[in-house]
Amino acid sequence: MDVVVIGGGQAGLAAGYHLRRLGIEFAILDAQFAAGGAWQHLWDSLHLFSPAPYSSLPGRPMPHQRGEVHPDAHHVVDYLTAYEHRYQLPVHRPVRVRGVHRDSELLRVDTDSGEWSTRAVVSATGTWARPFLPAVPGREVFGGRQLHTVEYRGPADFAGQRVTVVGGGNSGAQIAADLSAHCDLTWVTRRPPRFLADAIDGRALFDAATARRRALESGAADTGGVASLGDIVAVPPVRVARDAGRLTAQPMFSRLSPEGPVRPDGSAAPADAVIWCTGFRPALSHLAPLGLRTHRGHIPTTGTRASAEPRLHLLGYGDWTGPASATLIGVGRPARDAAREIAELLASSPRGQR
Ligand code: FAD
């Protein structure tokens, strides 16, 4: 195999699209049973923060979802499934990659169903498989239910309960909004929530990320990109809950007791459940055998290429692997750049000359 792409979510498919266009032989290995990557596991009420055309992978615009300006997660799964079929992307599933090893001039990809030898690897395993939980004292003694964003399905599980939602990002705000009319909600954040202006949706975010990339490429001052605008996109359900006064954040608690959160002043805020919307880390454990240096959980990259391993590209994990690369519309460009660099690498050491 010339290239093995690890992960068959949107980033892996975007890589596949560009590798195919360049005539490169590749396979995509994906641990899921079905197409759609992380989108298969998002909660029912979640809607994209962009209209369909601004949520498209390269080559094929996302169609509109009937009755919805902002499509839901089921629509994204349908779109990714159709995308795979349209471009006949060779996705093998379920195949879980256990480790990537150097094997002379090749890389050996060990999986739960055999080995692949390849000349280059694109790692596109996302972050969903690595939920992050902060080290808050007392987490182990709390007697109620604790779950992370990845386990949240909807408000029905919490009707009438006292629920504390932790996190001032989009997941925290959206889950708090989702629950706010159904339970006794407390939303806690480390700093006051920063809502983006209501007019800002995924289109504006993409423009901000693009402007930042252009500024950095031209040597101009860093514009700050998306982070400079705020943290929380005011998607319609968030706006409704916020405007109804149901989305007021409290400061973060200092510890958990068996009954629930304890505030810094020592007062108790009993809860039946705590939902940790505290983010994710890149799922990179399969790359550990390569022994690449990591910094804050990231592998140093030049563009998408691992700085210390030119046969490895990392795609879709966040801005450090390309501006807005962890979004549907943003991953296309870094995927194209990765495919081009891989084509150059393969051309510089043709198979017959190895
Ligand atoms: P994933 O979708 O996670 O795909 C990675 C794939 O790799 C998975 O199928 C996984 O099973 C597989 N995998 C992992 N490890 C291995 C392994 N060792 N071997 C084989 N396979 C493996 N983006 C937008 O553009 N618009 C939005 O509105 C938006 N809203 C979001 C809302 C929430 C709550 C979240 C969490 C994210 C949102 N995003 C949004 C961000 C982004 O689009 C998603 O996170 C996206 O799923 C990332 O795609 P990916 O392909 O990088 O990773």
Side-chain angles (χ1 to χ4, degrees):
M1 196 54 61
D2 279 338
V3 183
V4 167
V5 178
I6 307 172
Q10 65 201 34
L13 301 190
Y17 171 88
H18 283 294
L19 290 168
R20 162 124 318 145
R21 283 194 68 158
L22 294 173
I24 295 171
E25 180 196 32
F26 67 99
I28 301 176
L29 310 181
D30 186 42
Q32 304 282 312
F33 283 88
W39 293 103
Q40 297 169 80
H41 308 294
L42 287 165
W43 55 96
D44 288 342
S45 69
L46 181 122
H47 284 71
L48 294 185
F49 46 65
S50 311
Y54 287 86
S55 305
S56 301
L57 292 181
R60 178 169 161 74
M62 180 184 284
H64 286 283
Q65 182 175 17
R66 191 187 292 256
E68 303 281 1
V69 175
H70 298 88
D72 63 21
H74 301 291
H75 188 69
V76 183
V77 172
D78 291 346
Y79 168 69
L80 295 179
T81 306
Y83 192 91
E84 266 185 48
H85 290 143
R86 181 183 172 104
Y87 295 110
Q88 299 184 342
L89 298 176
V91 187
H92 301 253
R93 46 169 84 88
V95 177
R96 177 167 293 281
V97 173
R98 294 191 177 127
V100 178
H101 304 259
R102 292 191 184 87
D103 190 1
S104 157
E105 295 197 357
L106 296 174
L107 294 169
R108 192 181 78 244
V109 179
D110 283 348
T111 81
D112 57 6
S113 56
E115 289 179 2
W116 297 69
S117 281
T118 182
R119 300 166 74 195
V121 162
V122 176
S123 183
T125 47
T127 58
W128 190 256
R130 255 193 90 197
F132 172 75
L133 287 169
V136 173
R139 241 180 44 208
E140 63 293 346
V141 302
F142 174 53
R145 187 173 167 203
Q146 293 188 65
L147 59 159
H148 186 271
T149 308
V150 296
E151 295 154 285
Y152 179 75
R153 288 293 162 272
D157 295 345
F158 303 96
Q161 295 185 11
R162 299 163 301 175
V163 182
T164 299
V165 172
V166 184
N170 284 297
S171 303
Q174 289 194 29
I175 289 178
D178 201 32
L179 287 166
S180 63
H182 303 273
C183 67
D184 178 1
L185 170 75
T186 305
W187 180 35
V188 300
T189 59
R190 282 201 186 280
R191 59 179 183 181
R194 297 194 311 151
F195 290 96
L196 282 94
D198 288 1
I200 295 185
D201 67 4
R203 282 172 285 203
L205 297 180
F206 181 67
D207 290 345
T210 306
R212 177 169 193 245
R213 174 177 50 77
R214 291 203 178 118
L216 293 177
E217 280 173 2
S218 68
D222 189 347
T223 61
V226 171
S228 66
L229 301 174
D231 296 323
I232 301 166
V233 184
V235 291
V238 166
R239 216 177 296 165
V240 168
R242 183 200 61 194
D243 293 349
R246 299 197 307 260
L247 215 48
T248 312
Q250 309 286 323
M252 179 61 187
F253 51 85
S254 52
R255 64 182 175 91
L256 281 166
S257 74
E259 290 74 37
V262 179
R263 301 189 187 97
D265 66 4
S267 60
D272 300 303
V274 174
I275 305 179
W276 299 96
C277 303
T278 41
F280 302 87
R281 296 291 180 265
L284 298 175
S285 59
H286 56 290
L287 301 177
L290 294 175
L292 299 170
R293 191 167 60 86
T294 57
H295 177 63
R296 293 183 173 179
H298 298 179
I299 291 174
T301 49
T302 307
T304 58
R305 180 168 44 78
S307 304
E309 176 46 86
R311 296 169 294 182
L312 172 66
H313 286 255
L314 295 112
L315 193 60
Y317 295 102
D319 284 356
W320 61 284
T321 53
S325 70
T327 64
L328 285 153
I329 196 160
V331 75
R333 187 183 175 108
R336 183 199 66 189
D337 294 347
R340 283 182 182 165
E341 279 194 39
I342 289 171
E344 285 166 18
L345 175 90
L346 299 178
S348 69
S349 60
R351 279 164 179 261
Q353 293 178 19
R354 282 208 313 274

